[in-house]
Amino acid sequence: MSRRTARPTKPVSTCPCGLSEPYEKCCGRYHSGGAVAPTAEALMRSRYSAFVKGDRAYLLRTWHPRTRPARLDLDPDMTWTGLEVLGATEGSAFHSSGTVTFRASYRGGSLHERSRFERADGVWVYVDGEFLGE
């Protein structure tokens, strides 16, 4: 009987957006530019992951040109702890706009928002959001 040596495995980290896929196969492919988010919800999840990762460039790139700020300052002390998608309307491949309602938790509280998304040049972008309270 032969003995097999166990190969060391690279730990797989799930995506910060809350889906069970590894980051590289989930939001990471959008962040790297290898793919674009196919739905408003996928874009919202990828933007949450970008906040977790501190990816300013992606956040600005996926912000609608008419509402995008000139610069974006992220709080380096902010620790995001989870995302819960509460609902979505439209925002599929068959729509030109959509909304996603979510709760994003951070150390010390949470953000409850309904975000609006539109297609710009065929690609989903974030327009703005309405804060719904804690």
Side-chain angles (χ1 to χ4, degrees):
M1 184 189 303
S2 66
R3 283 199 163 168
R4 293 186 181 178
T5 306
R7 292 184 190 161
T9 57
K10 181 180 174 185
V12 176
S13 71
T14 57
C15 192
C17 80
L19 297 178
S20 61
E21 291 290 321
Y23 168 74
E24 294 76 19
K25 291 186 177 184
C26 194
C27 295
R29 62 193 168 130
Y30 307 138
H31 294 172
S32 71
V36 295
T39 65
E41 182 179 333
L43 180 63
M44 191 281 313
R45 287 180 177 280
S46 71
R47 287 177 55 82
Y48 170 81
S49 292
F51 275 103
V52 171
K53 299 280 189 182
D55 190 342
R56 285 183 193 88
Y58 181 78
L59 291 166
L60 290 170
R61 186 169 73 242
T62 58
W63 210 311
H64 198 291
R66 77 170 181 268
T67 58
R68 179 182 335 156
R71 62 181 250 186
L72 179 62
D73 295 320
L74 300 178
D75 182 351
D77 296 326
M78 176 66 85
T79 302
W80 295 100
T81 59
L83 176 66
E84 179 183 7
V85 174
L86 303 172
T89 59
E90 299 187 336
S92 76
F94 303 105
H95 300 105
S96 59
S97 65
T99 64
V100 179
T101 304
F102 66 92
R103 182 173 289 111
S105 300
Y106 56 88
R107 188 176 294 143
S110 66
L111 168 73
H112 188 190
E113 180 178 314
R114 180 176 303 113
S115 293
R116 290 187 322 124
F117 299 88
E118 293 178 5
R119 285 188 186 266
D121 297 323
V123 177
W124 284 108
V125 291
Y126 169 78
V127 176
D128 59 21
E130 172 189 0
F131 293 109
L132 303 173
E134 294 270 338

